[in-house]
Amino acid sequence: MLRSDIVLFRTLTVLAFAVGHEGLHVHGPSCPVVAQLGGSVLLPCFVESPLPLEGLQVEWRKTDSNSLVGLFQQGKSRPDLQSQGFRGRVDFFPHEITKGNFSILLKNVVEEDTGGYRCKVNTAQESSEVIMEVSNISGLVVTGADQNIFASKGEDVILNCSVDSRVPASEIEEVTWKKTNRDPEILVLLYQDNKIFPDSSHESYHGRVDLFSSEIPNGNFSLKLMDVKMEDKGEFTCEVHTRNMSGRTTVVLQGVGFAALHIAILVLCSVALLIAVGFCGPVCILLRKKVASKEGMKRHIFLILCPNICMFLSFCLWSSEGFLAEIITCSTVSIMRPVILLKTSSYLGRLPQCLQKTVKALAVPFYHSAISLAGFSIFFENYKIRELPLTVAFIIVIVVTVISSKILAIYSFQIYLTMCLEIFNGTLLGFIMNTTKVLNFSTEVISPPLMGMMVALVLQSHFFQGEPFTRVHLALSSAIVMISSLSFICLYIFLAIMITDYASMGWVLLFEAIMYIVIWIGVIYLLRRQRGRNQGFSSQWRKIGYLCCTVIVAFLIVAVIAITFHYLKHYMDETDVSDRSGYFALIPLIHVLIATCLFKHPKYLPDFLHMMIYMFGAVVLSTVSAFALATELILKAGKGARSIGDLRVIVLPLETVFCSAWLMLQIYDSWMKFKERHFKEESRAEPEIQEMEEMNPNLE
């Protein structure tokens, strides 16, 4: 309440006791009440003698709209019956009611409060009222720019905000600049108690905003916005507060023009789009006619290299607008895509022999390692080492698995390559999360499906397909089991020393380590016992066993993906990661690539499907990436905010579709090889059976 209002209030109270004569007569102000915009105003209403509360009703209404301003009834105030525009802004003075003072305090005055007010007092016997006028609502005059402002990206711009010169700067308690077209609003800059607080700014405006300190005594609180970005487009509100007044003005940054960097992105995206679409038809004709000329090969190489190199450069330039994880992942996918396209091309056999072998062996595992490390590399920046021995162990395992996967790929040990990459994935995610719950993720929870996967794959290959189980296979598989089991045992001992009571709680870890060794000994015994007896093994049962192992492996891969999703989501919930959708889109891709590593380079491929999948990867992927990036840039320039939010949710799922289609072709090729091999075995077995029947006619 203002000091003048308090004096008036006390005067009215004294008059209520001093004056007394018969009859109910309500008194009010003799002249219009003057209010200040945003402040509070006292509306006087009193009677000459105190009234009993029984049957007393005081009703305040606005005369022009008949809105209920305030109501005192049955001995208490009734704010629930007030009109919506006055709720929370009107107060009676409860202790003064019994003295005959029914004045109200109207707070947060707005321009609509101008007009007449009626105070009507009713008792059981009579009633009386008084009408008063609220006029001359004056506020703090704050002015901004007369018209919208335009700027180019990277420029500095001034957003005007000036206070009425009649208000001394010493009376201004607070000035806030806010970005009001964001939900929620964000604080751009705060001026309070004659000080500028740059640390109060939202992180997107740190180091980019300031006031003109020398102009503040003149009432100039204009904002200097430096290095303008596309996100800056929209409304900026300057709010000025004094002890009893407030005012605001809005400045609109209408548009932010393209910088040279943006134009370069649009040009590169256009070039990638034109090359991909322009070469689509000619390359399709070459593939359909199976043309193997040098000119045709140049077109193939040009198609898979140029659009993806353009997109790689575009995503690198996008670093000025995108966020780091998005840029690293999308640029890595673009620059690595030609390697996968070579792997899936029908003309791979026409390339030099050395290049053929390298692409067939290393394309997928190299692509997997690059995408995985790039996709999660952002977490390494803020990584905090909590337990040094465990961290060193994680790093060693990651390095060893990457190197081992390349060696296993070169020597075509697909089963062990797959297991190595799965261990790499689990260790990488464990290293990122680096919490005690990761121990459950990397050991107790995710290791059983991985071990089950290896057992199923070994049985499928060496038991049902009849592949020889040599000493090399025995050594590799046993090494994986023994190293994993010994690692679990060492981890159990380490945690038992570091964590109190873990020795009794972590028995599952020790139990799993022992069970893996026992199960693997049983698998080795079964394989060694079956060695050399495949001729007596029913071909039909071998096919059934092969299919069962395939189903089991597929189920376990899905289980590993689900477990990874669960723990990654839990970790991101705890760390409040906002761009989680991009990481979730990465998980299916890296597991599809792992499944792809199970197969050798295919030979039996339907020409049409093979061509369609290759053209999808060569044309559609780069085209969609170029279109999405260019569209996002244009929409961001128009709205000042991103529309898609994360380009990884477009790039990575399409990459997963492409790799999944290639995986289906590999599965088809593997099944055709399996059928052909065992069909020949059955064909060779039929003459032997006929010969035995001729030699022994009594044989049934």
Side-chain angles (χ1 to χ4, degrees):
M1 189 186 302
L2 303 179
R3 184 178 300 276
S4 59
D5 295 335
I6 296 174
V7 173
L8 178 60
F9 179 79
R10 290 176 177 173
T11 303
L12 293 174
T13 304
V14 172
L15 288 174
F17 280 99
V19 181
H21 51 77
E22 296 180 357
L24 179 61
H25 184 69
V26 180
H27 298 273
S30 59
C31 58
V33 177
V34 178
Q36 289 182 329
L37 195 66
S40 300
V41 61
L42 180 69
L43 302 183
C45 177
F46 64 95
V47 296
E48 298 163 347
S49 301
L51 298 175
L53 294 180
E54 185 177 355
L56 176 64
Q57 178 178 298
V58 180
E59 182 182 85
W60 279 88
R61 286 188 179 273
K62 202 164 186 296
T63 57
D64 54 353
S65 61
N66 203 35
S67 301
L68 183 61
V69 179
L71 179 64
F72 184 88
Q73 189 180 52
Q74 297 176 355
K76 61 180 180 180
S77 176
R78 299 295 303 275
D80 55 312
L81 299 178
Q82 286 176 292
S83 296
Q84 186 66 35
F86 292 97
R87 288 189 180 179
R89 299 201 297 128
V90 176
D91 288 330
F92 282 95
F93 301 94
H95 298 293
E96 299 294 325
I97 295 290
T98 56
K99 302 174 184 178
N101 190 348
F102 310 119
S103 304
I104 59 172
L105 183 67
L106 178 59
K107 299 178 290 185
N108 299 325
V109 174
V110 295
E111 292 182 0
E112 290 76 9
D113 292 335
T114 304
Y117 288 81
R118 177 189 294 111
C119 174
K120 185 176 182 180
V121 179
N122 298 308
T123 64
Q125 292 80 23
E126 53 188 333
S127 67
S128 180
E129 64 181 36
V130 66
I131 296 177
M132 65 200 71
E133 186 78 15
V134 174
S135 63
N136 298 327
I137 294 180
S138 60
L140 187 64
V141 179
V142 181
T143 57
D146 296 332
Q147 55 188 2
N148 296 343
I149 299 174
F150 293 84
S152 296
K153 185 184 181 300
E155 290 184 348
D156 296 347
V157 66
I158 297 175
L159 308 180
N160 293 326
C161 176
S162 300
V163 182
D164 189 348
S165 58
R166 292 173 295 179
V167 179
S170 58
E171 293 186 8
I172 296 176
E173 296 181 347
E174 180 180 279
V175 177
T176 59
W177 275 96
K178 296 180 181 178
K179 188 78 176 342
T180 50
N181 64 323
R182 296 280 294 271
D183 187 19
E185 296 180 347
I186 59 176
L187 182 63
V188 177
L189 189 61
L190 173 64
Y191 172 86
Q192 193 175 58
D193 298 330
N194 299 319
K195 292 182 181 179
I196 301 173
F197 294 91
D199 294 337
S200 64
S201 302
H202 186 267
E203 58 182 7
S204 59
Y205 289 98
H206 278 176
R208 297 203 299 127
V209 289
D210 198 4
L211 298 178
F212 296 91
S213 302
S214 60
E215 292 295 320
I216 290 178
N218 300 326
N220 186 354
F221 293 93
S222 298
L223 180 75
K224 183 179 181 181
L225 177 60
M226 297 168 280
D227 188 20
V228 172
K229 298 182 179 180
M230 286 187 172
E231 292 88 345
D232 296 333
K233 180 182 177 180
E235 295 182 353
F236 290 80
T237 299
C238 173
E239 295 183 357
V240 182
H241 301 271
T242 65
R243 183 173 61 87
N244 50 22
M245 292 186 295
S246 64
R248 63 166 57 190
T249 186
T250 300
V251 182
V252 178
L253 184 57
Q254 182 65 32
V256 179
F258 286 138
L261 204 62
H262 297 147
I263 296 174
I265 293 174
L266 292 176
V267 169
L268 287 170
C269 289
S270 300
V271 171
L273 193 63
L274 291 174
I275 292 175
V277 174
F279 276 73
C280 177
V283 170
C284 279
I285 294 173
L286 292 175
L287 290 173
R288 186 168 56 85
K289 294 182 177 180
K290 299 182 179 180
V291 177
S293 63
K294 289 185 178 180
E295 187 65 27
M297 292 299 299
K298 289 180 181 179
R299 291 184 182 180
H300 285 296
I301 300 300
F302 191 77
L303 176 63
I304 67 173
L305 282 180
C306 289
N308 289 295
I309 291 175
C310 288
M311 290 313 303
F312 168 74
L313 296 175
S314 298
F315 281 118
C316 290
L317 296 177
W318 181 245
S319 59
S320 62
E321 302 295 338
F323 49 92
L324 190 57
E326 174 191 40
I327 296 157
I328 293 175
T329 304
C330 292
S331 58
T332 303
V333 169
S334 297
I335 199 64
M336 293 298 300
R337 188 178 292 143
V339 177
I340 294 296
L341 290 174
L342 280 178
K343 168 79 173 177
T344 59
S345 65
S346 58
Y347 53 83
L348 179 60
R350 302 166 198 161
L351 298 177
Q353 194 69 24
C354 179
L355 182 59
Q356 285 186 47
K357 292 181 179 179
T358 303
V359 171
K360 288 179 180 179
L362 296 178
V364 177
F366 184 61
Y367 183 65
H368 170 272
S369 301
I371 294 297
S372 300
L373 290 172
F376 293 104
S377 60
I378 187 65
F379 291 104
F380 302 154
E381 182 182 4
N382 300 322
Y383 187 78
K384 297 179 181 179
I385 298 177
R386 300 175 185 174
E387 296 173 348
L388 185 59
L390 189 61
T391 302
V392 172
F394 276 141
I395 295 174
I396 291 174
V397 173
I398 289 173
V399 174
V400 170
T401 51
V402 170
I403 297 174
S404 300
S405 65
K406 306 306 178 285
I407 297 173
L408 293 170
I410 292 172
Y411 290 98
S412 299
F413 292 113
Q414 275 77 23
I415 295 175
Y416 313 108
L417 168 62
T418 302
M419 294 305 303
C420 191
L421 292 178
E422 285 288 8
I423 294 172
F424 165 79
N425 278 351
T427 307
L428 178 62
L429 292 173
F431 177 75
I432 291 168
M433 290 182 265
N434 194 25
T435 62
T436 53
K437 292 184 179 180
V438 171
L439 302 175
N440 293 330
F441 168 78
S442 59
T443 53
E444 297 177 8
V445 178
I446 205 169
S447 60
L450 293 183
M451 190 57 61
M453 194 186 306
M454 191 178 79
V455 170
L457 289 171
V458 169
L459 290 176
Q460 182 189 54
S461 178
H462 301 294
F463 193 79
F464 296 110
Q465 285 186 272
E467 297 286 347
F469 189 67
T470 63
R471 293 178 180 178
V472 176
H473 296 92
L474 176 63
L476 286 174
S477 53
S478 299
I480 291 176
V481 175
M482 294 305 297
I483 292 174
S484 301
S485 300
L486 291 175
S487 298
F488 293 170
I489 294 172
C490 294
L491 182 61
Y492 173 80
I493 295 172
F494 172 76
L495 294 176
I497 296 173
M498 297 296 296
I499 302 175
T500 307
D501 298 331
Y502 187 83
S504 58
M505 295 187 303
W507 61 271
V508 175
L509 194 62
L510 191 61
F511 175 77
E512 285 183 359
I514 297 173
M515 285 301 299
Y516 294 157
I517 296 174
V518 173
I519 292 172
W520 187 244
I521 291 174
V523 172
I524 293 175
Y525 173 77
L526 182 64
L527 292 174
R528 305 299 288 182
R529 188 172 182 273
Q530 183 62 24
R531 187 176 59 176
R533 302 184 184 183
N534 284 329
Q535 290 78 4
F537 198 69
S538 171
S539 177
Q540 184 65 24
W541 283 107
R542 289 166 68 180
K543 291 180 181 179
I544 294 174
Y546 177 89
L547 291 174
C548 288
C549 288
T550 301
V551 172
I552 291 172
V553 171
F555 172 78
L556 292 175
I557 290 176
V558 173
V560 171
I561 294 175
I563 294 170
T564 305
F565 264 113
H566 171 74
Y567 277 90
L568 190 61
K569 180 179 182 301
H570 183 77
Y571 167 74
M572 290 185 174
D573 288 340
E574 287 185 344
T575 53
D576 194 25
V577 177
S578 58
D579 53 338
R580 63 184 66 189
S581 57
Y583 298 105
F584 291 152
L586 180 62
I587 298 299
L589 175 59
I590 60 180
H591 282 89
V592 167
L593 291 171
I594 288 177
T596 304
C597 292
L598 283 171
F599 305 93
K600 294 182 179 180
H601 192 77
K603 296 180 180 178
Y604 298 90
L605 295 177
D607 291 338
F608 179 74
L609 289 178
H610 189 189
M611 183 182 73
M612 293 303 295
I613 291 172
Y614 170 74
M615 292 305 296
F616 178 84
V619 177
V620 176
L621 295 184
S622 55
T623 300
V624 173
S625 297
F627 184 77
L629 180 56
T631 303
E632 179 74 349
L633 179 59
I634 294 171
L635 291 177
K636 187 176 182 181
K639 298 192 303 183
R642 296 197 56 172
S643 299
I644 300 173
D646 189 345
L647 291 173
R648 290 178 296 176
V649 301
I650 294 179
V651 174
L652 295 180
L654 283 176
E655 202 78 17
T656 304
V657 170
F658 169 64
C659 294
S660 299
W662 177 247
L663 175 62
M664 293 299 104
L665 287 184
Q666 289 185 302
I667 293 174
Y668 170 81
D669 171 77
S670 180
W671 175 246
M672 294 300 294
K673 288 178 181 177
F674 179 80
K675 286 179 63 178
E676 180 185 11
R677 180 187 307 164
H678 292 290
F679 177 78
K680 290 180 179 179
E681 290 180 359
E682 291 175 1
S683 299
R684 288 196 301 268
E686 287 179 0
E688 295 178 1
I689 294 174
Q690 292 177 359
E691 184 178 352
M692 291 176 63
E693 289 178 348
E694 292 175 358
M695 294 176 61
N696 189 358
N698 297 324
L699 183 65
E700 295 182 357

